[in-house]
């Protein structure tokens, strides 16, 4: 079937274009602007995003906060090194984690971090090989994690991050992510205020980004790919802002694929017979494993601000569903030619 093969989403990316460090000024990154209907592209800077917004629009931003989720320690008795990545909190003490090396960490294995400051017992191995671990500690877990943990940068970033705050947005609020909603990294407080002063509404939603964001699609036919689940929450306030925007004819512009997945996951058919709005947002929380690829009908999102994504990833498939696969691949190839910076600390796109 056309556009359902993994290889349909490949593009050639020189390794030197993968951004290793964030820019000093968040909003000085480049911005590729594309009309998703015509495919026409222009080259600007991120601070120029205000030229593409207007009063009555709404920006949807993901206010999740990346925690220092990477713990380096040793296995009890053997002293062998171990790395634990916190993925999802299950209780006050229990977490779903990714453990390396996994084979040597069977149930009952005790792990030690910070010379006994924090200990963990592997209590279960679940279906995809992740481990459920139970932490033992004295004091406040978050404070211990701040001391012992490292920011869990994606595997394609090899440089050490000098300022951990640069892997969070300026509006990050709720702890829980194993990866940043990177489209939001380009915003400064000044830029957000300028956007609000224009009459653009800001709606904050929460989706805790899981490691599955970086999980490659291995199946040849993309519909065989099993998506990871991520926890989300949409407040009544955010839902009201988004719904009123749709009602008054404004555009709902998602900042990042995480915001897109959130709003597209919690929309329902509008039962108000007097309205010409087909779908509305329902507030609430839950887990989503939504997989958006070409053929998907977008119900809420009218525009997308996002970074450049990995070849053959679920994220480039989502963007292709919104802007057209050929348009997106043409834009990406032009970005390579123009030496844009790619991935988490790289440049941005606006598809409108």
């Amino acid at each position: 079937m056309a556009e359902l093969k993994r290889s349909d989403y490949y593009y050639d990316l020189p390794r030197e274009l993968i951004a290793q460090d964030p820019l000093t000024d968040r909003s000085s990154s480049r911005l590729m602007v594309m009309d998703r209907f015509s495919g026409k592209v222009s080259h600007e800077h991120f601070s120029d995003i205000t030229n593409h917004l207007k009063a009555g629009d709404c920006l949807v931003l993901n206010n999740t906060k990346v925690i220092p989720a990477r713990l380096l320690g040793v296995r009890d008795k053997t002293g062998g090194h171990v790395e634990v990545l916190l993925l999802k909190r299950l209780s006050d003490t229990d977490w779903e984690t990714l453990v390396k090396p996994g084979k040597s960490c069977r149930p009952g294995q005790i792990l030690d971090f910070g010379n006994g400051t924090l200990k963990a017992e592997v209590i279960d191995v679940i279906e995809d090989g992740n481990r459920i671990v139970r932490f033992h500690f004295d004091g406040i877990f978050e404070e211990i994690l701040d001391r012992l943990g490292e920011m869990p940068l994606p595997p394609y970033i090899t440089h050490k991050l000098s300022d951990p705050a640069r892997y969070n947005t300026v509006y990050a609020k709720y702890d829980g992510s194993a990866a940043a909603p990177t489209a939001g990294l380009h915003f400064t407080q000044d830029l957000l205020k300028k956007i609000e002063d224009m009459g653009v509404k800001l709606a904050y939603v929460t989706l805790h980004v899981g490691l599955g964001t970086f999980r490659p699609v291995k199946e040849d036919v993309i519909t065989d790919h099993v998506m990871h689940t991520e926890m989300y929450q949409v407040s009544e306030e955010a839902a009201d802002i988004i719904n009123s925007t749709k009602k008054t004819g404004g555009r709902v512009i998602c900042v990042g694929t995480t915001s897109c997945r959130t709003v597209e996951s919690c929309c329902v058919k509008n039962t108000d017979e007097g309205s010409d709005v087909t779908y509305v947002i329902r507030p609430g929380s839950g887990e989503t494993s939504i997989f958006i690829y070409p053929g998907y009908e977008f119900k809420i999102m009218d525009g997308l601000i996002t970074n450049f994504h990995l070849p053959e990833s679920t994220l480039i498939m989502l963007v292709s569903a919104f802007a057209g696969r050929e348009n997106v691949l043409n834009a990406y190839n032009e970005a390579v030619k123009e030496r844009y910076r790619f991935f988490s600390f790289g440049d941005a796109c606006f598809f409108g």
Side-chain angles (χ1 to χ4, degrees):
M1 269 186 278
E3 300 196 341
L4 292 183
K5 291 184 178 179
R6 182 188 66 202
S7 57
D8 289 335
Y9 300 89
Y10 178 80
Y11 67 94
D12 190 34
L13 178 69
R15 180 167 288 276
E16 66 268 18
L17 295 186
I18 300 174
Q20 294 295 319
D21 303 289
L23 298 178
T24 304
D25 176 8
R26 289 175 182 260
S27 63
S28 66
S29 55
R30 296 168 76 185
L31 177 70
M32 175 179 278
V33 178
M34 193 184 87
D35 183 311
R36 67 188 180 104
F37 300 105
S38 69
K40 184 180 177 182
V41 163
S42 63
H43 305 288
E44 305 178 27
H45 287 92
F46 194 81
S47 54
D48 299 321
I49 192 66
T50 52
N51 297 333
H52 305 282
L53 305 174
K54 58 180 183 290
D57 287 343
C58 168
L59 282 186
V60 183
L61 305 111
N62 182 8
N63 60 10
T64 187
K65 189 174 185 179
V66 185
I67 59 175
R70 185 171 178 253
L71 287 164
L72 302 177
V74 295
R75 298 193 299 278
D76 197 30
K77 296 180 181 176
T78 67
H81 290 281
V82 66
E83 176 182 330
V84 172
L85 187 64
L86 307 181
L87 299 179
K88 185 186 297 184
R89 191 168 202 161
L90 306 176
S91 71
D92 287 345
T93 57
D94 295 3
W95 284 77
E96 180 183 339
T97 66
L98 177 66
V99 178
K100 296 180 182 179
K103 287 184 179 179
S104 57
C105 291
R106 299 182 177 89
Q109 174 70 60
I110 303 296
L111 310 175
D112 187 319
F113 308 96
N115 295 318
T117 303
L118 181 66
K119 292 202 171 187
E121 178 185 359
V122 179
I123 60 175
D124 197 10
V125 179
I126 57 179
E127 190 175 318
D128 56 5
N130 290 346
R131 266 66 176 164
I132 306 299
V133 304
R134 179 165 295 154
F135 286 101
H136 303 277
F137 52 91
D138 291 320
I140 299 172
F141 181 77
E142 288 76 11
E143 292 180 356
I144 296 170
L145 193 63
D146 280 341
R147 293 203 309 272
L148 299 181
E150 298 179 1
M151 292 301 266
L153 294 179
Y156 48 74
I157 294 178
T158 57
H159 291 190
K160 189 171 179 63
L161 185 61
S162 58
D163 178 9
R166 287 298 276 108
Y167 195 53
N168 266 312
T169 63
V170 296
Y171 48 83
K173 188 173 183 180
Y174 298 110
D175 286 348
S177 272
T182 55
L185 296 179
H186 304 280
F187 287 93
T188 63
Q189 294 289 7
D190 287 344
L191 181 57
L192 286 171
K193 184 179 185 306
K194 185 177 180 181
I195 288 169
E196 278 194 290
D197 289 346
M198 294 169 56
V200 177
K201 291 166 281 189
L202 305 182
Y204 291 97
V205 300
T206 307
L207 182 135
H208 293 316
V209 189
L211 194 69
T213 293
F214 305 108
R215 184 176 293 162
V217 177
K218 295 180 180 178
E219 293 77 9
D220 292 333
V221 179
I222 65 175
T223 49
D224 292 336
H225 177 71
V226 178
M227 284 290 284
H228 57 289
T229 60
E230 295 169 313
M231 299 176 65
Y232 72 86
Q233 183 160 7
V234 177
S235 66
E236 285 193 21
E237 180 186 9
D240 287 346
I241 292 172
I242 295 167
N243 289 335
S244 66
T245 300
K246 299 297 281 189
K247 186 176 181 179
T248 55
R251 296 174 300 167
V252 173
I253 298 167
C254 291
V255 177
T257 56
T258 62
S259 298
C260 168
R261 294 202 298 276
T262 304
V263 299
E264 293 293 321
S265 294
C266 61
C267 59
V268 294
K269 278 269 192 178
N270 188 7
T271 56
D272 182 358
E273 293 181 1
S275 172
D276 58 0
V277 176
T278 308
Y279 291 92
V280 293
I281 292 292
R282 181 172 58 191
S285 60
E287 292 192 344
T288 179
S289 57
I290 189 171
F291 184 11
I292 297 176
Y293 52 86
Y296 179 83
E297 176 195 347
F298 286 87
K299 302 167 183 66
I300 299 294
M301 185 173 77
D302 303 302
L304 176 65
I305 298 169
T306 188
N307 282 16
F308 292 93
H309 302 295
L310 278 74
E312 299 183 341
S313 64
T314 60
L315 303 184
I316 195 173
M317 293 168 191
L318 183 155
V319 178
S320 297
F322 185 66
R325 183 181 67 90
E326 286 191 16
N327 284 346
V328 170
L329 289 178
N330 287 340
Y332 272 51
N333 287 327
E334 184 164 345
V336 169
K337 180 182 173 185
E338 296 292 328
R339 310 293 290 178
Y340 273 69
R341 302 166 74 247
F342 279 68
F343 306 161
S344 295
F345 287 140
D347 297 316
C349 313
F350 173 57
F351 296 98

